[in-house]
Amino acid sequence: MNRWLRFILRNRVLVLLSLALITIGAGAICTRAVIGSSVGKLFLGESPAWARYQVEVQRFGSDEVVLLGIDVEDPLGAATLGKLRDATDRLLEMEEVARVDSVLRAQRIKGVPDGVQIQRWSDLAEETPENRKQLLAELTKDDATQGVLIAKDGTRLTVLVELVPNADRPAEQGPALVAQIESCFVDAGFPVKELHRAGMLAVFSDVIAATQRNLQILFPIVIFVLLLTVLSLFRGLLPVAVTMGITLVAVVWTFGLSVWMDPKISILQSIVPIVVMIVGFSDVIHLYSAYLLELGE
């Protein structure tokens, strides 16, 4: 160790230059990072079951569904159905959307003397608006719709937006995709306060959005607080510069190595910079304090 330290001190310019080049390279690698390749891979990784599952999804349909709950006063009213139809048309124009299910597609199936009669509830409501209350009462008691596409009390509707199967869809696109889906309803005339998002994609989109906010907002705040702490303890700029420089190098190298091995980072990996900054600051402060004590002796 003594010989290693003496070598570093004798060649400190070369060492610092090497550290700077490696740090710049690691920083460039960090720019290629993306948060997960997909929600599924985020948790299942390279599991053989994940590959087999993707084959089944292509055969039977996507499991990525965004659910929108809508508060309404008149579910079968012309105004409500018109806005719902407008929102559905907007959704189907999106490349990522494969199918949209709502009361617009729900069917009333009943037996008649000569067979089975199949009619859409929305068509019946628009053709005979005077029977809306009776139709609503039937709709909320229909086993195929009550509690699924419409609440039992008839004050809320559910819209299921099924996405096109895509195993390579980046998880970090989730927040923008969910926001785009929600905007279709807002543009159609539904107030934002009456919309309620649900479903796996919506939940993970919120988690990813929070992660991105943490990196963009919380990380700088943590650095600022740590800088103030070091400045108040040592009352000098040199300790601040030394502590910040060493810790940032650790952050960039750690994150750069991780992204170099796999650019598709997980949500948990995204908090590494904050953790390394906090732990690194405390360790460097201890070392710097010991260094000052040794100088004093």
Side-chain angles (χ1 to χ4, degrees), residues 1-272:
M1 178 61 73
N2 186 50
R3 294 175 59 186
W4 171 245
L5 292 176
R6 290 183 179 279
F7 170 81
I8 293 176
L9 291 175
R10 284 196 304 267
N11 302 277
R12 53 185 176 273
V13 175
L14 178 62
V15 171
L16 290 174
L17 182 60
S18 301
L19 292 177
L21 292 176
I22 295 174
T23 304
I24 293 172
I29 293 175
C30 288
T31 60
R32 305 205 310 261
V34 294
I35 301 179
S37 60
S38 68
V39 173
K41 186 175 181 181
L42 210 56
F43 294 94
L44 300 178
E46 302 300 330
S47 170
W50 171 243
R52 185 171 66 253
Y53 174 73
Q54 290 305 311
V55 176
E56 299 300 326
V57 165
Q58 295 294 331
R59 292 175 58 191
F60 297 104
S62 175
D63 63 337
E64 292 190 83
V65 179
V66 178
L67 292 86
L68 267 294
I70 310 174
D71 297 328
V72 292
E73 295 182 358
D74 188 2
L76 296 180
T80 300
L81 294 177
K83 290 189 291 186
L84 195 57
R85 188 171 287 110
D86 185 16
T88 301
D89 292 340
R90 294 171 184 268
L91 288 169
L92 293 177
E93 291 176 358
M94 297 172 54
E95 295 182 359
E96 298 285 351
V97 174
R99 174 174 170 169
V100 180
D101 283 313
S102 67
V103 291
L104 292 177
R105 291 170 55 91
Q107 298 175 331
R108 183 174 74 168
I109 304 175
K110 67 176 184 179
V112 294
D114 58 345
V116 178
Q117 185 183 60
I118 302 177
Q119 297 172 296
R120 287 190 176 183
W121 293 99
S122 58
D123 293 340
L124 289 171
E126 291 177 330
E127 292 171 1
T128 57
E130 66 277 4
N131 296 331
R132 283 208 312 269
K133 289 186 178 181
Q134 179 185 346
L135 291 171
L136 180 60
E138 294 181 36
L139 182 63
T140 54
K141 294 179 181 178
D142 191 308
D143 292 336
T145 56
Q146 61 94 11
V148 181
L149 295 178
I150 187 170
K152 295 180 180 181
D153 60 3
T155 61
R156 289 174 296 277
L157 295 176
T158 302
V159 180
L160 291 83
V161 183
E162 181 180 332
L163 303 182
V164 175
N166 184 359
D168 297 323
R169 182 185 296 117
E172 61 185 3
Q173 288 184 2
L177 182 57
V178 172
Q180 186 179 359
I181 291 174
E182 190 175 44
S183 69
C184 291
F185 291 87
V186 175
D187 294 340
F190 291 105
V192 176
K193 63 180 181 180
E194 295 179 359
L195 300 176
H196 309 280
R197 300 183 305 183
M200 191 69 72
L201 180 61
V203 171
F204 282 115
S205 295
D206 289 340
V207 172
I208 292 171
T211 303
Q212 292 172 336
R213 287 195 300 270
N214 286 343
L215 288 174
Q216 296 169 0
I217 299 175
L218 185 58
F219 185 52
I221 291 176
V222 168
I223 292 177
F224 180 72
V225 172
L226 292 174
L227 287 176
L228 287 181
T229 302
V230 175
L231 189 61
S232 62
L233 287 174
F234 292 95
R235 300 184 182 281
L237 294 178
L238 181 59
V240 174
V242 171
T243 307
M244 174 60 68
I246 294 175
T247 312
L248 281 179
V249 167
V251 170
V252 174
W253 283 29
T254 303
F255 214 62
L257 178 62
S258 177
V259 174
W260 177 70
M261 295 175 64
D262 186 358
K264 302 178 181 66
I265 63 173
S266 69
I267 295 175
L268 293 178
Q269 284 176 285
S270 66
I271 66 174
V272 167

